[in-house]
Amino acid sequence: MLHPLSESVHPKYNRPISILLVDDSFLDLTILSAMLSEQNYTVQRTSSAAAALRIVETLMPDIIMLDINMPEMNGYDLCQRLKAHPKAAEIPVIFVSASDNGIDKQKAFNVGGADYIEKPFQAEEVDVRIQNQLKIRWVAAALREKNLDLEATLKQLRHTQSLVMEAERVSTVSQIVGNIAQEIQTPMRLVGSNLQHIQRCCENMLSLLHLYEELCKRPEFLLSEAQRNSQLSLIQSDIQDINQLLSLTMAEAGQVGTVADSINSLFSMG
């Protein structure tokens, strides 16, 4: 009895490795099936290409061993059908052929075959070739899973990066807005102070004019030249103060307008 040369249990699903044999020779099916069963593989076998396609639909073997010369559909055509099938595309196909009939190795690989074995079968060679294909398939599957994990990690990193960038942008905008608020506060305080002074000047001028009108109504009111000039000087001084304050206020308002334009430009660029 042969001693198992390999691991015959699926490493991910913890079940025996399943192999589908497709050969129209009952003798070859029997020999190869017995050989693989001794190695603790689970063997499914059929002599029909159509049956092989049906088996793949439901049982999904880990390896397909496929004879080349079959009557209804040769192995090359069946392999092409299998590789075009969404469920079977990833299953390794190992071609088997009698050494006297030969095998078109280039064609075998072109249609999607992974390896080939020539009859008569040697148990050790069959097992080594099966194990090689299983390892290749499992490594490829592990790489795909790693790639998916890496893609998910990369997606998460990009999302985190976008959150960090957004937080930095908000922080920058907050700092800019704070600086802008400080820039606006100073001229606005000056504008407010100037307006209060203008208001007081206007109130003084109105009071003087009102007083002058009341005095003019009295018959005994005689206003000397000096008094008239003094009152006019006060009014003139207030008017000059108003003009000066208005100029300063306009300048400060212009500064506020410049800051506002800068804000608009900044956020238009963002």
Side-chain angles (χ1 to χ4, degrees), residues 106-122:
Q106 182 175 354
K107 185 174 182 180
F109 290 122
N110 286 342
V111 297
D115 202 351
Y116 63 90
I117 301 173
E118 292 183 342
K119 305 173 186 179
F121 306 116
Q122 299 295 323

Side-chain angles (χ1 to χ4, degrees), residues 224-259:
S224 67
E225 185 71 19
Q227 290 175 325
R228 190 165 48 247
N229 290 337
S230 175
Q231 291 181 1
L232 290 175
S233 295
L234 288 174
I235 294 174
Q236 186 177 11
S237 176
D238 284 341
I239 292 174
Q240 288 175 349
D241 285 346
I242 290 173
N243 285 332
Q244 185 177 3
L245 290 172
L246 286 174
S247 297
L248 291 173
T249 302
M250 290 175 65
E252 297 299 336
Q255 185 176 351
V256 173
T258 301
V259 173

Side-chain angles (χ1 to χ4, degrees), residues 131-267:
Q131 285 296 307
N132 285 341
Q133 293 307 315
L134 288 173
K135 289 174 183 177
I136 291 171
R137 185 182 183 187
W138 292 337
V139 168
L143 286 175
R144 282 194 297 272
E145 289 184 3
K146 288 292 183 183
N147 286 336
L148 291 175
D149 291 341
L150 288 174
E151 288 177 4
T153 302
L154 181 59
K155 185 178 180 180
Q156 182 62 39
L157 286 174
R158 286 174 176 168
H159 178 65
T160 303
Q161 184 182 27
S162 67
L163 292 178
V164 171
M165 292 176 65
E166 180 64 19
E168 291 177 350
R169 189 187 73 83
V170 170
S171 176
T172 301
V173 170
S174 298
Q175 185 176 1
I176 292 172
V177 170
N179 293 336
I180 290 171
Q182 292 179 357
E183 290 290 332
I184 291 176
Q185 283 175 354
T186 300
M188 289 306 296
R189 280 196 294 266
L190 291 174
V191 168
S193 177
N194 291 343
L195 289 175
Q196 288 178 357
H197 197 171
I198 290 172
Q199 186 178 24
R200 285 195 297 270
C201 289
C202 290
E203 290 173 353
N204 291 337
M205 290 176 63
L206 289 172
S207 296
L208 286 172
L209 289 172
H210 181 70
L211 177 61
Y212 184 76
E213 289 176 352
E214 291 297 322
L215 289 175
C216 288
K217 292 177 181 179
R218 298 178 183 179
E220 70 276 12
F221 176 68
L222 294 175
L223 191 63
S224 67
E225 185 71 19
Q227 290 175 325
R228 190 165 48 247
N229 290 337
S230 175
Q231 291 181 1
L232 290 175
S233 295
L234 288 174
I235 294 174
Q236 186 177 11
S237 176
D238 284 341
I239 292 174
Q240 288 175 349
D241 285 346
I242 290 173
N243 285 332
Q244 185 177 3
L245 290 172
L246 286 174
S247 297
L248 291 173
T249 302
M250 290 175 65
E252 297 299 336
Q255 185 176 351
V256 173
T258 301
V259 173
D261 290 340
S262 299
I263 294 173
N264 289 332
S265 299
L266 175 65
F267 285 97

Side-chain angles (χ1 to χ4, degrees), residues 72-88:
E72 61 177 287
M73 182 186 301
N74 65 43
Y76 301 123
D77 293 337
L78 178 55
C79 184
Q80 282 186 308
R81 291 278 300 274
L82 290 168
K83 292 303 171 182
H85 194 290
K87 292 184 177 180

